[in-house]
Amino acid sequence: SSAASDVYKRQIVILGKGAHTPNCNPEAITSQLNESLERMNTDYVDIYIMHRDNDEYNVDEFVDVLNQEKDKGRIKVFGGSNWTLDRFKKANECFENSISIKPNFAEAFNNMALSLKEERKFEKAIISLEKAIALKNNYAEAYYNLGNVYNLLGELEKSIDMFTRAIDIKSDYFDAYNNLGAALLDIGEHQEAKSNLKKAIELQPDYAEAYNNLGNVYKEMEEYNMAISKYKKAIKLNPEYHEAYN
């Protein structure tokens, strides 16, 4: 039923990819997204990734199309892979222009922060995310992204606080439970880490990274048989998950 489908979709993150060679151009994005949505039997994706870049087109041509799809509700957030640092910088300029036109656009601040994080401009990313949260105080994703930035800076207590806030807003946010568990492990809070990682797995049973992190918790607790079983589960779910082999 559609109700059952809606419940199921709330328990997963739907990722779509487009801009594949040789159809890596702004005009193709909408048609590729249409095809993806039809194949997945959904009316939106949580994350949309441009698989390739094409420097024959200006960055703003891609960003404009993606923003239009986001405004329609068919994309929640978007990004790119296989992009050069210079192209990410140009994308940031596009987000800044969007913000200057629409200064209360919380999602633009969030998206700009993600690009700034890729450039390792962490302090600027924090400022952008704080602006997003100021505009939209129940913005779970912005809190989650802020937690990730603080984690990269080694500010674990702040990171933990941000992940916790994201979960308070969105109780089924399994990525936040996973990253919270990993951060708690880093400060030696083994039981709390284990509890949060188990919750991440409960919400997303095929979550290889959470199993790997749970294995790390058991290893730190010197429960080696349990650790090995969790690493094996991570590898079974994702044979290319190299961290679990270590």
Side-chain angles (χ1 to χ4, degrees):
S1 69
S2 60
S5 176
D6 289 343
V7 170
Y8 178 69
K9 285 200 294 187
R10 285 198 298 270
Q11 295 175 340
I12 64 174
V13 172
I14 306 172
L15 184 145
K17 295 183 75 174
H20 298 281
T21 306
N23 296 315
C24 183
N25 59 74
E27 294 80 12
I29 286 177
T30 296
S31 62
Q32 291 176 0
L33 178 60
N34 288 339
E35 185 176 351
S36 294
L37 296 177
E38 183 177 351
R39 285 180 175 179
M40 292 189 286
N41 192 28
T42 181
D43 52 4
Y44 73 92
V45 292
D46 295 287
I47 304 170
Y48 187 81
I49 302 294
M50 286 183 53
H51 186 59
R52 299 286 181 187
D53 189 16
N54 186 344
D55 59 12
E56 293 182 6
Y57 296 88
N58 292 330
V59 171
D60 61 350
E61 294 181 75
F62 286 111
V63 172
D64 285 348
V65 174
L66 291 166
N67 272 331
Q68 288 170 20
E69 296 298 341
K70 193 172 186 306
D71 288 342
K72 295 174 187 175
R74 303 199 324 153
I75 296 172
K76 290 189 177 180
V77 297
F78 58 82
S81 59
N82 302 302
W83 278 43
T84 64
L85 185 59
D86 183 60
R87 294 282 279 182
F88 271 117
K89 289 178 179 177
K90 288 183 171 64
N92 279 343
E93 292 172 6
C94 293
F95 294 132
E96 288 171 355
N97 289 335
S98 296
I99 290 166
S100 66
I101 296 167
K102 192 176 178 181
N104 294 329
F105 193 10
E107 287 78 5
F109 282 109
N110 180 68
N111 288 340
M112 184 167 69
L114 294 176
S115 291
L116 289 165
K117 180 168 75 74
E118 291 299 320
E119 292 186 62
R120 303 190 69 79
K121 295 181 179 179
F122 299 132
E123 295 302 329
K124 288 185 177 181
I126 289 170
I127 292 169
S128 189
L129 288 164
E130 287 176 341
K131 287 179 179 177
I133 291 166
L135 291 166
K136 187 177 176 181
N137 61 12
N138 64 341
Y139 200 171
E141 184 188 342
Y143 280 111
Y144 169 76
N145 289 330
L146 189 51
N148 287 332
V149 174
Y150 280 130
N151 191 280
L152 288 168
L153 289 170
E155 298 186 40
L156 295 178
E157 295 293 345
K158 289 183 179 180
S159 177
I160 288 166
D161 183 41
M162 294 302 107
F163 293 139
T164 301
R165 292 190 189 192
I167 290 166
D168 286 342
I169 296 166
K170 185 179 177 183
S171 61
D172 60 351
Y173 204 158
F174 51 83
D175 282 323
Y177 281 106
N178 175 66
N179 289 14
L180 175 57
L184 287 164
L185 173 60
D186 286 340
I187 64 170
E189 295 288 348
H190 297 154
Q191 293 298 333
E192 284 191 52
K194 183 168 67 171
S195 175
N196 280 280
L197 290 164
K198 285 184 174 181
K199 183 65 175 179
I201 292 166
E202 176 189 329
L203 292 166
Q204 185 73 2
D206 60 352
Y207 201 166
E209 184 180 346
Y211 276 105
N212 180 69
N213 287 334
L214 187 55
N216 291 338
V217 173
Y218 282 119
K219 184 174 71 172
E220 289 295 315
M221 297 174 69
E222 300 183 354
E223 296 183 30
Y224 298 115
N225 288 334
M226 287 293 291
I228 290 168
S229 72
K230 302 308 175 187
Y231 293 140
K232 286 183 176 178
K233 181 67 174 180
I235 292 167
K236 182 178 180 180
L237 289 168
N238 183 1
E240 297 182 0
Y241 195 78
H242 303 294
E243 290 86 347
Y245 290 96
N246 297 323

